[in-house]
Amino acid sequence: MHQCLSLAKIALDTGNPPVGALIVLDGKVIGKGVESGKSTGDISNHAEIMAIRNAIKNGYSGKLGSAQMYTTHEPCIMCSYMIRHHRIGEIVYGVSIPFVGGFSSEFSVLSTASVPKWGAAPKVLTGICLDECNALNEEFLKTLNKP
């Protein structure tokens, strides 16, 4: 998670929400993602999606089902769809996203059993490095309130 926090700081420094994500397989980082939707103008450039794209680019497409994703923020419903599609088996995140989180909101894409082809829901661990994640969020909110 400390590596995710470093990636989140990069996102923050480029004017994006402070989100960083890693995909790990057998203790090795196979994909990295830095939130860049705001700076690139492409809303799909969420850190979790960028990490999945990076892992696929690195040749791990067929092994994502055995991997873990670490991210500073709860994956949103869009990111959660990608996670379920690729059957990533474990998600570890810091701060929850109340209205569009893929686990804690009413749109619980990460935990639903309603899509048979997705198979079993991933294991989800929440609240990891919560204070550090919240501190980065506070920094980001200050940038939004500047005149």
Side-chain angles (χ1 to χ4, degrees):
M1 279 299 286
H2 294 288
Q3 290 180 53
C4 290
L5 288 164
S6 294
L7 295 172
K9 288 175 187 171
I10 293 169
L12 182 63
D13 289 344
T14 56
N16 294 286
V19 187
L22 294 173
I23 299 179
V24 176
L25 178 66
D26 298 327
K28 175 185 173 189
V29 174
I30 61 169
K32 293 181 183 183
V34 174
E35 186 85 8
S36 59
K38 193 170 180 181
S39 62
T40 64
D42 182 345
I43 192 65
S44 70
N45 285 341
H46 284 201
E48 297 87 353
I49 291 174
M50 301 301 285
I52 292 169
R53 289 175 181 162
N54 186 239
I56 291 169
K57 180 182 173 189
N58 291 335
Y60 291 95
S61 180
K63 297 186 178 185
L64 290 173
S66 300
Q68 301 84 38
M69 175 178 281
Y70 295 82
T71 180
T72 55
H73 288 63
E74 174 183 6
C76 72
I77 54 178
M78 175 176 64
C79 295
S80 295
Y81 178 90
M82 285 270 298
I83 289 165
R84 293 301 300 270
H85 176 81
H86 290 286
R87 297 179 181 224
I88 296 172
E90 184 174 352
I91 311 301
V92 178
Y93 70 83
V95 65
S96 294
I97 307 300
F99 299 109
V100 294
F103 185 68
S104 67
S105 78
E106 68 179 292
F107 310 107
S108 55
V109 175
L110 283 178
S111 60
T112 187
S114 298
V115 183
K117 73 176 192 171
W118 283 349
K123 178 180 178 184
V124 178
L125 301 171
T126 69
I128 310 303
C129 296
L130 183 59
D131 291 340
E132 295 93 327
C133 294
N134 280 330
L136 287 173
N137 279 343
E138 290 300 318
E139 283 186 54
F140 178 68
L141 291 174
K142 288 177 189 174
T143 68
L144 296 179
N145 295 328
K146 285 186 178 178

